[in-house]
């Protein structure tokens, strides 16, 4: 569970990362409402993974 705590601390310590996660959820919500559930899941994955990568590279 140590890795889960480290990921949580990334979001808490980085407000931009938390904002990008909310943007990912908003994009996924719109895609799911349109009927593209698989693409919505992919969008969440790509945006959150990209946000984490950017946050780690920036430090």
């Amino acid at each position: 569970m140590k890795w889960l705590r480290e990921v949580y601390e990334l979001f808490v310590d980085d407000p931009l990362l938390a904002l990008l996660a909310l943007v990912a959820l908003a994009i996924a919500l719109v895609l799911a409402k349109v009927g593209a559930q698989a693409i919505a899941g992919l969008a969440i994955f790509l945006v959150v993974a990209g946000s984490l990568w950017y946050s780690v590279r920036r430090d």
Side-chain angles (χ1 to χ4, degrees):
M1 295 304 266
K2 183 179 178 181
W3 66 270
L4 186 59
R5 183 174 176 214
E6 290 177 6
V7 170
Y8 173 77
E9 287 174 356
L10 278 175
F11 284 98
V12 171
D13 291 340
D14 192 352
L16 178 62
L17 187 58
L19 180 65
L20 289 173
L22 290 175
V23 168
L25 289 175
I27 291 170
L29 177 66
V30 170
L31 288 172
K33 291 286 185 180
V34 172
Q37 287 84 5
I39 296 174
L42 181 62
I44 290 175
F45 174 78
L46 291 176
V47 173
V48 170
S51 299
L52 285 169
W53 176 81
Y54 175 75
S55 178
V56 170
R57 297 267 306 176
R58 187 177 55 169
D59 291 336

